[in-house]
Amino acid sequence: MKPSFRRLVLAAAVSLAVNTFAPVPGLAQTQTASKSDQWIHVRVESKDDGGETVRVNVPVDMAVKVLPAIKHQPLHDGKVRIENSHMDDVDLRTILEAVRSSKDGEYVTVEGHDDDVRVAKSGGYLYIHVTEKNKAEKAAKEPEGKEGHAKPARSKESKVEVKVPMKVVDALLSAGKDELDIVAALHALSSNGDTELVTVKDDENTVRIWVDSKNVSD
Amino acid sequence: MVLLAKVGIGIGATLCLTAGWVFHEGVIRVDVDEAKPDGAHVHFWVPATTVSAGMRLTPRHYLRQAAEQSRPFLPVLREVAKELRKYPDAELLDVRDSQNHVTMVVRDGRLYLDAVTDADNVHISFPTETLRDVADGLEEASPGI
């Protein structure tokens, strides 16, 4: 074997070894990106005759980019404007502010005629539990439909359970009065890891909203 | 004989290159089948390049008009098109009940919209790049929107 050819073979072998064992920047970047990719999943399951199921999976990063582009009231620049009238007799913002400044385990309880609201803080998470009472009673009181039949009174109670990391709450409230900063909240959410956010259960529907790193729902 | 062979190779190579360029963005596929008797059946494949090429050939005022009409949705379309490229495989939407099934899926960089209902079956798929071409074309036609 000629010395020049031997040098060439040696150089090729070294080059192959370096390329095989050295980290590939593009690949490393992809793996990091996919690891940090978080998805918001929404699943709605209806228990009526049609058995409707809705599954939505949206990358958090995509939502962060797309939301500011939507300009449709009450959403603008990634923020949602809350009208006080929509909150009935519960001032959500005041409750959240109170909980934010309070210690773990302290909570606010609102016992209304129609709803019970419980807000608690524990381990860096905010828990909101809402129980709507007398749903059957309310449904029976509703005016008759077009067909002249009253709505059947199926549900007695519906439960809403919300679990939100406190840093997401802080981000949500960072927009100012009567506004919730959804984009800031999504940024905070994406850094939090897998989280079960909302569960709503009643006799008719089950709604679940959660965040994880899978690009499909369960 | 040799000259003829050279000409043949030249034409063949040109055809291959042209086909390669026309299909390099993939194809747009549309399948519509109405379930009723004598219902319409529409099936066609179009190279996605025709969209970007078509937008360059369309008279400017038509594009400006389209951009103005789609003004509220254009920023959203632009962002969605940009973001979809980052997610080549994703199941975005799945809605089903006893009679209907609607899905929106991204697979291998293509967006698949499928709606299977009692009345008809609709399957549309196109490269996510096509959305961006449309957004870019409308933006170029009417900057500032």
Side-chain angles (χ1 to χ4, degrees):
Chain A
M1 199 181 277
K2 285 182 182 176
S4 58
F5 184 70
R6 205 180 300 153
R7 273 202 296 273
L8 187 67
V9 169
L10 188 64
V14 169
S15 170
L16 184 67
V18 167
N19 281 309
T20 306
F21 297 110
V24 181
L27 184 63
Q29 203 174 10
T30 309
Q31 282 170 347
T32 310
S34 62
K35 205 174 178 182
S36 66
D37 272 356
Q38 293 285 306
W39 291 68
I40 301 176
H41 305 278
V42 180
R43 183 191 281 187
V44 182
E45 285 174 358
S46 174
K47 292 172 188 163
D48 62 9
D49 296 338
E52 193 175 4
T53 307
V54 178
R55 288 176 185 163
V56 182
N57 309 301
V58 182
V60 175
D61 281 351
M62 183 191 275
V64 164
K65 299 277 172 52
V66 172
L67 275 175
I70 300 172
K71 291 182 179 19
H72 189 273
Q73 285 300 336
L75 186 64
H76 68 97
D77 300 325
K79 293 168 190 164
V80 171
R81 187 162 188 83
I82 305 173
E83 299 296 336
N84 282 336
S85 57
H86 292 165
M87 301 304 295
D88 295 328
D89 51 353
V90 179
D91 188 343
L92 181 65
R93 193 180 176 86
T94 306
I95 294 171
L96 291 176
E97 289 285 1
V99 171
R100 184 162 65 160
S101 55
S102 64
K103 290 176 185 173
D104 265 17
E106 290 188 21
Y107 58 89
V108 176
T109 305
V110 179
E111 288 185 357
H113 179 257
D114 296 327
D115 307 311
D116 282 351
V117 181
R118 180 179 170 269
V119 182
K121 195 172 87 169
S122 174
Y125 283 88
L126 171 72
Y127 296 86
I128 303 173
H129 291 189
V130 180
T131 306
E132 192 180 352
K133 299 181 289 188
N134 304 321
K135 206 176 173 189
E137 192 183 314
K138 275 201 279 186
K141 280 180 188 172
E142 280 179 8
E144 291 183 353
K146 281 180 185 174
E147 294 83 12
H149 302 294
K151 284 187 176 178
R154 290 179 63 181
S155 306
K156 287 182 179 172
E157 202 173 78
S158 77
K159 283 188 176 178
V160 179
E161 293 177 3
V162 182
K163 177 188 172 190
V164 193
M166 278 312 292
K167 58 183 178 183
V168 175
V169 177
D170 289 343
L172 209 55
L173 296 175
S174 64
K177 201 174 182 298
D178 296 334
E179 277 189 338
L180 296 177
D181 194 333
I182 306 295
V183 171
L186 286 172
H187 275 300
L189 198 58
S190 65
S191 63
N192 195 67
D194 298 1
T195 313
E196 185 86 30
L197 290 172
V198 178
T199 309
V200 181
K201 279 181 187 172
D202 65 14
D203 280 2
E204 293 166 359
N205 303 297
T206 305
V207 181
R208 200 177 149 223
I209 303 174
W210 74 102
V211 174
D212 65 24
S213 53
K214 295 177 193 166
N215 64 352
V216 289
S217 48
D218 295 342
Chain B
M1 194 68 182
V2 174
L3 186 67
L4 273 179
K6 283 181 178 175
V7 169
I9 289 170
I11 292 171
T14 309
L15 283 175
C16 284
L17 284 174
T18 309
W21 182 80
V22 167
F23 288 97
H24 80 283
E25 286 184 18
V27 292
I28 297 168
R29 184 175 172 179
V30 177
D31 296 303
V32 180
D33 292 296
E34 285 185 341
K36 63 184 179 187
D38 302 327
H41 299 274
V42 180
H43 303 270
F44 63 85
W45 293 40
V46 183
T49 324
T50 53
V51 173
S52 50
M55 294 200 82
R56 283 191 200 98
L57 297 172
T58 307
R60 209 74 173 160
H61 66 277
Y62 284 128
L63 278 182
R64 203 174 300 126
Q65 200 178 342
E68 277 164 16
Q69 282 174 354
S70 58
R71 183 194 293 257
F73 314 104
L74 206 52
V76 178
L77 179 69
R78 201 182 300 142
E79 289 300 328
V80 168
K82 206 188 295 175
E83 288 301 308
L84 274 180
R85 293 171 68 201
K86 299 175 190 169
Y87 305 95
D89 290 289
E91 186 186 305
L92 298 173
L93 178 72
D94 185 312
V95 181
R96 70 172 76 200
D97 62 16
S98 57
Q99 291 160 342
N100 308 305
H101 189 197
V102 178
T103 57
M104 187 193 293
V105 174
V106 184
R107 206 179 303 131
D108 299 326
R110 292 178 64 79
L111 187 63
Y112 291 82
L113 304 168
D114 298 312
V116 178
T117 68
D118 281 353
D120 43 30
N121 293 349
V122 179
H123 303 281
I124 299 171
S125 70
F126 52 87
T128 52
E129 281 292 324
T130 307
L131 268 184
R132 183 157 191 178
D133 287 342
V134 172
D136 288 349
L138 290 175
E139 192 180 7
E140 274 174 28
S142 191
I145 285 184

